[in-house]
C-alpha cells in the first residue's frame, strides 16, 4: 500500500506562482529532492539525487507494504485457493513492474519529477486533472479504511482488557466502537493532520516496516503451530468462477500500489536510469510478493473460507502475540493517516486554486484558515463514513479499483502518448508492440475499476 509524503520546502510553497503546484508536489517518505529550476538539471535529463540503489529498493518496499496485507488471506479465499491466488499475483506482478518502469521512462523523457507532473506533461491537461482527482479520491478512501482498521483492532484489544466474551451484550458505553474510533481520531489523528508540514512523519516509516514484518511473522507462526481452538473451514482448491478471480484483483492492486510515490523515488537516485530502476523495482516487488504471499497463504490455510477480510479479526482476542500485532497496526495507521490526508489535501488545494485562478498567495492567515477548514471537512467526512461502514472489504474493493488506475491506466496512457509522439521521428519494429501493450494496460485497469465500481453500486442496491 502506498504511503506518500509531500515536499515541505518553505520556498517552494511560499514563492510559487503556479496555482496547481501544491497538487503536484507529492513525494515519497525519506526522499528529499531539490527543487527543479532552470540550470539545475543537465540537458536531456534530471539532476542526480542521493539515494543509493539499495536505499531505493528499501523505500519502494516500504511504500508498497502496509495495512493492505491484512486483506490478502481473504483475497486468496476469493480467488479460489492457494494455486489461484499465487497465479493471479504472479501474473499481475508483470504488469505492476512494467508500469513502474514506464513511469520512470516517461519521467526521464518529460523531465518531470512527480506522478502528476508526468501525467500532465505526457497526457495533457484533462488526463492530468483526472489523475489529481483520482489521487484525492484514493487518499480519501484509504483514510476511511485506516479508521475502520483502528476500530477493528481496538474492538479485540478492549474485549481482552474488559475481560468480556466477544459479542457479549450490555457493554459499557466507553467500549462502544463508535466512541473508541472517534476518541482515538480526535486525540491523535486530527492534531497530526492540521500542521502545514509533516516532515517528522518520515520517521514513522520505520514503525510501519517493523509492524508489517511482525504481522507477517505472527501469521506464518500461527499457521505452523496453530492454537487448538483455531480450526480451518473449507479449503478451496479452485475458483468458483472467473468472476471470483477478478474480484480478488482490487485487493492485490491496493497492496502493490506504490506507483504514485515511485516517480520521486526514481528521481532521487544517484543514477536515475531506466535500466537500473528496472532492477530496483523488480527486487522490491519480489520482496513485497514474498511478504504478501506468506501472509495470504498462511492466513488462508489457517482459517479457510471463513477468514475475515481483516485476517487479524479471525484470531482469538486473548492471544497476546496477535494483540501485539494489533497494536503495531494501530500505531502504523495512526501515523499513516496524516500522510495520506496531507497528500489528498494538497491535491484538493491545487484543484481549488486552479479553478479559482488564484496564485499560491503569501497571505499566511488565508492559507491557514483554508487549510484548517479543508482538514476538518476531510477528517469529519472520513470519520462519519468509517463509523457507518463496518466492512473494510467494501472499502478496499473501491479504493483497489482506483489503485488499478495508478498501476495500469495512467502508465498505459503515458506509454501510448509517448510512443505516438515518436511516430513521426522513428518507427522501430517494436513501436506497435509498445502501443499495443499500453492499450492492454489501459483496458485491464479500466476493467478492474469498472468491475469494482459496479460491484460497489449494484451489489448493495440488490442487497
Amino acid at each position: 500500500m502506498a504511503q506518500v509524503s509531500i515536499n515541505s520546502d518553505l520556498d517552494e510553497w511560499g514563492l510559487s506562482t503556479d496555482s496547481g503546484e501544491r497538487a503536484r508536489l507529492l513525494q515519497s517518505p525519506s526522499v528529499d529532492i531539490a527543487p527543479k529550476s532552470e540550470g539545475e538539471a543537465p540537458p536531456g535529463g534530471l539532476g542526480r539525487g542521493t539515494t543509493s540503489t539499495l536505499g531505493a529498493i528499501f523505500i519502494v518496499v516500504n511504500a508498497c507494504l502496509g495495512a493492505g496485507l491484512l486483506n490478502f488471506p481473504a483475497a486468496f479465499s476469493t480467488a479460489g485457493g492457494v494455486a489461484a491466488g499465487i497465479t493471479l499475483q504472479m501474473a499481475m506482478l508483470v504488469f505492476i513492474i512494467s508500469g513502474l518502469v514506464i513511469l520512470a521512462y516517461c519521467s526521464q523523457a518529460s523531465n518531470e519529477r512527480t506522478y502528476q507532473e508526468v501525467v500532465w506533461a505526457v497526457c495533457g491537461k484533462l488526463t492530468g486533472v483526472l489523475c489529481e482527482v483520482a489521487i484525492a479520491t484514493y487518499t480519501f478512501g484509504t483514510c476511511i479504511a485506516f479508521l475502520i482498521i483502528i476500530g477493528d483492532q481496538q474492538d479485540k484489544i478492549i474485549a481482552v482488557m474488559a475481560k468480556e466474551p466477544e459479542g457479549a451484550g450490555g457493554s459499557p458505553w466507553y467500549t462502544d466502537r463508535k466512541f473508541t474510533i472517534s476518541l482515538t481520531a480526535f486525540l491523535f489523528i486530527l492534531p497530526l493532520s492540521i500542521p502545514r508540514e509533516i516532515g517528522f512523519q518520515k520517521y514513522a516509516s520505520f514503525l510501519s516496516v517493523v509492524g508489517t514484518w511482525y504481522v507477517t511473522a505472527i501469521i506464518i507462526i500461527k499457521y505452523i503451530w496453530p492454537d487448538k481452538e483455531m480450526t480451518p473451514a473449507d479449503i478451496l482448491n479452485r475458483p468458483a468462477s472467473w468472476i471470483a478471480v477478478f474480484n480478488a484483483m482490487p485487493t492485490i492492486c491496493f497492496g502493490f500500489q506504490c506507483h504514485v510515490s515511485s516517480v520521486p523515488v526514481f528521481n532521487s537516485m544517484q543514477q536515475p536510469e531506466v535500466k537500473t530502476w528496472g532492477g530496483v523495482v523488480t527486487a522490491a516487488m519480489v520482496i513485497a510478493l514474498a511478504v504478501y504471499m506468506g501472509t495470504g497463504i498462511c492466513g488462508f490455510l489457517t482459517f479457510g473460507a471463513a477468514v475475515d477480510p481483516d485476517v487479524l479479526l479471525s484470531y482469538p482476542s486473548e492471544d497476546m502475540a496477535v494483540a501485539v500485532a494489533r497494536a503495531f497496526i494501530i500505531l502504523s495507521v495512526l501515523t499513516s493517516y496524516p500522510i495520506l490526508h496531507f497528500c489528498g489535501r494538497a491535491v484538493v488545494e491545487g484543484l481549488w486554486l486552479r479553478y479559482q485562478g488564484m496564485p499560491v498567495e503569501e497571505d499566511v492567515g488565508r492559507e491557514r484558515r483554508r487549510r484548517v477548514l479543508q482538514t476538518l471537512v476531510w477528517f469529519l467526512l472520513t470519520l462519519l463514513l468509517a463509523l457507518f461502514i463496518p466492512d473494510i472489504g467494501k472499502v478496499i474493493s473501491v479504493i483497489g479499483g482506483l489503485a488499478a488506475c495508478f498501476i495500469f491506466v495512467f502508465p498505459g496512457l503515458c506509454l501510448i502518448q509517448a510512443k505516438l509522439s515518436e511516430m513521426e521521428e522513428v518507427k522501430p519494429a517494436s513501436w506497435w508492440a509498445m502501443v499495443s501493450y499500453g492499450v492492454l494496460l489501459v483496458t485491464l485497469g479500466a476493467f478492474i475499476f469498472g468491475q469494482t465500481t459496479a460491484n460497489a453500486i449494484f451489489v448493495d442496491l440488490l442487497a
Side-chain angles (χ1 to χ4, degrees):
M1 181 185 63
Q3 294 179 4
V4 286
S5 183
I6 194 167
N7 193 329
S8 57
D9 190 288
L10 287 174
D11 292 335
E12 290 195 10
W13 285 91
L15 301 180
S16 172
T17 57
D18 180 0
S19 62
E21 183 170 4
R22 292 191 185 186
R24 302 196 302 271
L25 288 175
L26 288 177
Q27 301 294 343
S28 175
S30 304
V31 177
D32 297 320
I33 303 177
K36 182 181 65 175
S37 62
E38 291 185 8
E40 288 189 7
L46 297 171
R48 293 180 182 274
T50 59
T51 306
S52 65
T53 300
L54 186 61
I57 293 174
F58 173 80
I59 294 171
V60 174
V61 171
N62 180 28
C64 183
L65 297 178
L69 68 90
L70 301 177
N71 309 104
F72 269 74
F76 272 70
S77 178
T78 301
V82 174
I86 293 176
T87 303
L88 182 61
Q89 283 195 72
M90 295 295 292
M92 292 186 67
L93 200 66
V94 176
F95 298 107
I96 291 169
I97 293 175
S98 66
L100 291 165
V101 175
I102 290 169
L103 289 170
Y105 167 78
C106 292
S107 173
Q108 197 170 63
S110 63
N111 200 34
E112 299 294 351
R113 293 178 178 270
T114 66
Y115 192 100
Q116 302 97 297
E117 287 179 330
V118 170
V119 175
W120 266 82
V122 178
C123 298
K125 178 180 178 180
L126 178 59
T127 308
V129 171
L130 290 175
C131 178
E132 291 180 343
V133 171
I135 290 176
T137 307
Y138 177 82
T139 52
F140 184 82
T142 305
C143 287
I144 297 173
F146 284 168
L147 291 172
I148 296 175
I149 290 172
I150 290 175
D152 290 344
Q153 309 311 323
Q154 284 180 333
D155 286 347
K156 291 285 188 176
I157 294 175
I158 290 173
V160 174
M161 296 177 63
K163 297 182 179 179
E164 295 179 352
E166 296 181 34
S171 301
W173 60 270
Y174 53 81
T175 64
D176 181 76
R177 176 189 178 92
K178 291 182 174 63
F179 175 77
T180 57
I181 295 177
S182 301
L183 182 64
T184 303
F186 275 100
L187 288 180
F188 298 102
I189 292 178
L190 182 59
L192 291 174
S193 300
I194 290 178
R196 183 178 182 179
E197 302 173 36
I198 54 170
F200 66 91
Q201 288 287 358
K202 67 175 67 176
Y203 303 107
S205 62
F206 175 76
L207 181 65
S208 177
V209 172
V210 172
T212 299
W213 285 94
Y214 179 81
V215 171
T216 300
I218 287 298
I219 291 174
I220 294 175
I221 291 172
K222 289 295 180 180
Y223 167 68
I224 298 175
W225 295 287
D227 296 336
K228 293 181 180 179
E229 61 270 22
M230 292 192 307
T231 56
D234 295 336
I235 303 294
L236 303 176
N237 294 318
R238 64 183 63 183
S241 65
W242 282 108
I243 298 298
V245 176
F246 291 132
N247 286 337
M249 287 184 173
T251 299
I252 297 175
C253 290
F254 179 66
F256 282 96
Q257 200 289 112
C258 58
H259 294 57
V260 173
S261 56
S262 69
V263 179
V265 177
F266 168 71
N267 292 311
S268 75
M269 293 179 61
Q270 295 172 353
Q271 296 180 336
E273 300 173 356
V274 175
K275 184 177 180 179
T276 304
W277 177 248
V280 167
V281 296
T282 299
M285 291 302 102
V286 168
I287 295 173
L289 179 68
V291 174
Y292 284 139
M293 276 194 177
T295 304
I297 293 172
C298 294
F300 169 69
L301 292 179
T302 301
F303 300 104
V307 66
D308 196 274
D310 179 342
V311 66
L312 290 183
L313 298 185
S314 298
Y315 293 93
S317 298
E318 62 274 10
D319 192 314
M320 291 308 299
V322 178
V324 174
R326 295 190 179 105
F328 265 122
I329 290 296
I330 291 175
L331 290 174
S332 175
V333 168
L334 285 176
T335 57
S336 298
Y337 180 108
I339 295 176
L340 268 295
H341 158 261
F342 196 47
C343 297
R345 188 179 72 198
V347 172
V348 172
E349 172 83 342
L351 289 170
W352 171 255
L353 293 175
R354 187 182 299 110
Y355 174 76
Q356 293 291 320
M358 299 165 54
V360 182
E361 68 278 354
E362 297 182 19
D363 187 341
V364 177
R366 293 180 61 184
E367 184 279 331
R368 183 186 297 112
R369 287 193 298 270
R370 194 166 58 242
R371 168 166 44 88
V372 172
L373 178 61
Q374 291 169 351
T375 300
L376 288 175
V377 172
W378 182 289
F379 171 79
L380 292 175
L381 285 177
T382 56
L383 177 60
L384 287 173
L385 289 171
L387 294 179
F388 294 98
I389 304 177
D391 184 4
I392 192 177
K394 295 180 180 179
V395 179
I396 295 298
S397 178
V398 173
I399 58 180
L402 281 171
C405 294
F406 303 129
I407 295 174
F408 303 109
V409 176
F410 292 117
L413 290 174
C414 287
L415 179 61
I416 293 170
Q417 290 296 327
K419 291 303 175 183
L420 288 177
S421 66
E422 297 175 359
M423 184 170 58
E424 298 299 329
E425 301 174 6
V426 60
K427 294 183 178 180
S430 61
W431 187 87
W432 279 109
M434 290 294 98
V435 173
S436 299
Y437 187 72
V439 172
L440 175 62
L441 287 176
V442 174
T443 304
L444 180 59
F447 173 79
I448 297 174
F449 176 74
Q451 182 193 25
T452 54
T453 303
N455 286 342
I457 296 175
F458 295 112
V459 171
D460 287 342
L461 289 177
L462 292 175

